[in-house]
Amino acid sequence: MKSKLRSKWGTLSCMMLVGALLSTCWGQSSAVHASATAYKFDFGAGSVVSGYTGVQASTAYNPSTGYGFNTPSNIKNVSASGTGIGSDAVQFVTFGTKSNNTFNVDLPNGLYEVKVTLGNTTRSSVAAEGVYQLINMTGDLATDQFQIPITDGQLNLLVTEGKVGAVFTLSALEITQVSTNPTTHPTIYVGGDSTVANYYPLANSVQGGWGQMLSKFINQNDYLVRNMASGGQIARGFRDDGQLEAILKYIKPGDYFIVQLGINDTNAKNNTTEAQFKEIMRDMVKQVKAKGATVILSTPQGRATDFDSSGVHHAEGRWYRAATIALAQEENVPLIDLNILSSAYFTSIGANATLALYMNGDTLHPNYAGATELARIVVENMKAQGLY
């Protein structure tokens, strides 16, 4: 939702190019930006880190500066537990992907890399241009980044729900233009549940999802990886609650959508039969195929303890696997049968080594090392099928 006060981006860019010092409403001077296509904002009421522009909760969007909050009355300054840019933050009091309670930045049209540092929060998601960009960033001062095309001269960003009852905070924002062409690079979009999702810090989290690790095995010059998976997710929720919407906004011919669901759909509390699961998945497949992208269905791996008395790991009957396999055949889309592929690997390393790839006391969720192995298996199978 765009501010009606938007100016031409040239006002901001010209001021930055000549190195003008912009005075903030509380008397501090904002940092000088290096160019019209690189912006760094430090949020909160504390001191401003050198090289950043300070932004308080009361900083309203202004055409003359080209940045600010659309509704500052719904933002408040809060502290944070880090240092530097992580010592303070702002909190979004109202939120939601369609909310107009956004931080707006005038930008020349193009493709941008946006780096987000949250404040203190248990779990938050980041939305921009009315759709999710980052899903369920967990823990204080979590950091992640995404690429986004800007086609209307302004970025509109907010921090929003990742967990009911959490606070949604933002400590810092860095925006860098990647290209003057507002077209996304070839991208592998990933959908799924907690066995696929990102965990933070991304580089050394204890728990891991294979979607988080996929970029370790994908050449970033070939494809970017955008992981939209989230813990506890079911097919209906992924389709209807904003994650598929975000993918459909950007996905294009040449891109991939790998989706793995079914674990939580089998839980009675989610009231989804296997037939219903299959048709919801079919709907998502059709919507993505209509965008000209390639859909890849994946079956989930089994539990760490799915070994028989002969030391063979097998979990073929789990997680609505049969429906996923049938759907891939009916819709003529590739299948990564991670269930079978991971079982073969687990059998080769044995029960004890397999258990070591899962979280302590948890036979379902992989740890960082386990998620890395699953991602390796996924990419190896993509290569074997000629998909990558």
Side-chain angles (χ1 to χ4, degrees):
M1 300 183 183
K2 307 298 180 185
S3 168
K4 296 180 180 179
L5 297 176
R6 179 186 303 132
S7 68
K8 295 289 187 180
W9 65 264
T11 302
L12 177 60
S13 61
C14 289
M15 295 179 77
M16 290 177 177
L17 283 169
V18 299
L21 292 174
L22 306 177
S23 296
T24 62
C25 60
W26 63 98
Q28 293 175 313
S29 292
S30 64
V32 179
H33 293 261
S35 74
T37 53
Y39 312 87
K40 299 170 73 174
F41 298 99
D42 181 357
F43 295 90
S47 60
V48 179
V49 172
S50 176
Y52 286 76
T53 296
V55 179
Q56 288 205 29
S58 58
T59 304
Y61 173 81
N62 188 317
S64 66
T65 61
Y67 66 87
F69 291 105
N70 196 47
T71 54
S73 60
N74 294 326
I75 302 289
K76 67 179 183 179
N77 296 315
V78 293
S79 61
S81 58
T83 59
I85 58 172
S87 64
D88 55 359
V90 292
Q91 179 182 341
F92 291 76
V93 178
T94 63
F95 42 84
T97 57
K98 309 304 179 188
S99 171
N100 66 358
N101 188 32
T102 54
F103 180 69
N104 301 337
V105 184
D106 289 67
L107 298 169
N109 288 345
L111 182 67
Y112 288 84
E113 185 87 11
V114 179
K115 181 180 180 181
V116 176
T117 301
L118 302 184
N120 288 6
T121 180
T122 52
R123 188 188 303 169
S124 296
S125 296
V126 175
E129 309 310 297
V131 297
Y132 286 117
Q133 302 292 336
L134 300 170
I135 299 293
N136 286 1
M137 296 175 68
T138 49
D140 296 346
L141 304 171
T143 299
D144 205 347
Q145 57 195 36
F146 60 93
Q147 287 191 1
I148 185 170
I150 298 297
T151 58
D152 59 2
Q154 193 178 79
L155 172 70
N156 308 104
L157 180 143
L158 77 159
V159 184
T160 186
E161 301 101 322
K163 180 179 181 180
V164 175
V167 295
F168 310 120
T169 59
L170 179 63
S171 279
L173 185 65
E174 299 180 26
I175 307 167
T176 305
Q177 190 176 59
V178 175
S179 170
T180 57
N181 179 11
T183 301
T184 56
H185 290 163
T187 303
I188 298 173
Y189 295 89
V190 182
D193 52 39
S194 57
T195 65
V196 186
N198 287 349
Y199 297 88
Y200 296 82
L202 290 171
N204 58 358
S205 58
V206 176
Q207 189 169 351
W210 65 252
Q212 173 184 347
M213 309 304 174
L214 205 63
S215 59
K216 290 179 177 290
F217 305 96
I218 297 290
N219 187 326
Q220 295 298 287
N221 292 323
D222 296 333
Y223 292 96
L224 296 178
V225 177
R226 292 290 299 274
N227 189 10
M228 303 299 288
S230 60
Q233 191 55 282
I234 60 175
R236 184 183 294 107
F238 193 92
R239 182 191 65 178
D240 296 346
D241 296 341
Q243 286 152 286
L244 182 65
E245 175 193 25
I247 292 169
L248 292 173
K249 183 178 178 72
Y250 300 114
I251 201 166
K252 63 189 183 304
D255 291 347
Y256 287 98
F257 174 43
I258 308 175
V259 57
Q260 176 185 293
L261 291 160
I263 293 177
N264 297 298
D265 297 84
T266 62
N267 191 318
K269 71 177 184 180
N270 290 315
N271 195 30
T272 305
T273 66
E274 187 163 9
Q276 290 170 329
F277 167 78
K278 183 179 179 182
E279 292 312 307
I280 294 168
M281 293 287 284
R282 187 191 308 277
D283 183 37
M284 289 195 283
V285 168
K286 289 181 175 293
Q287 289 191 64
V288 174
K289 287 173 69 174
K291 293 287 186 175
T294 299
V295 181
I296 302 173
L297 297 179
S298 174
T299 60
Q301 89 283 352
R303 290 186 176 274
T305 50
D306 285 334
F307 282 86
D308 64 19
S309 58
S310 300
V312 176
H313 189 281
H314 51 84
E316 294 92 333
R318 290 196 181 277
W319 321 136
Y320 290 162
R321 172 176 173 268
T324 300
I325 294 172
L327 179 61
Q329 295 171 341
E330 292 166 13
E331 294 297 328
N332 193 29
V333 298
L335 172 74
I336 297 174
D337 198 351
L338 187 58
N339 185 290
I340 295 296
L341 294 168
S342 61
S343 283
Y345 174 67
F346 295 153
T347 298
S348 73
I349 63 174
N352 290 336
T354 296
L355 194 61
L357 295 176
Y358 284 73
M359 296 293 289
N360 289 337
D362 183 341
T363 65
L364 176 61
H365 296 98
N367 56 28
Y368 192 96
T372 301
E373 291 299 329
L374 292 172
R376 176 187 58 78
I377 292 169
V378 167
V379 175
E380 285 181 354
N381 192 250
M382 289 178 67
K383 291 178 178 178
Q385 295 190 56
L387 298 170
Y388 174 64

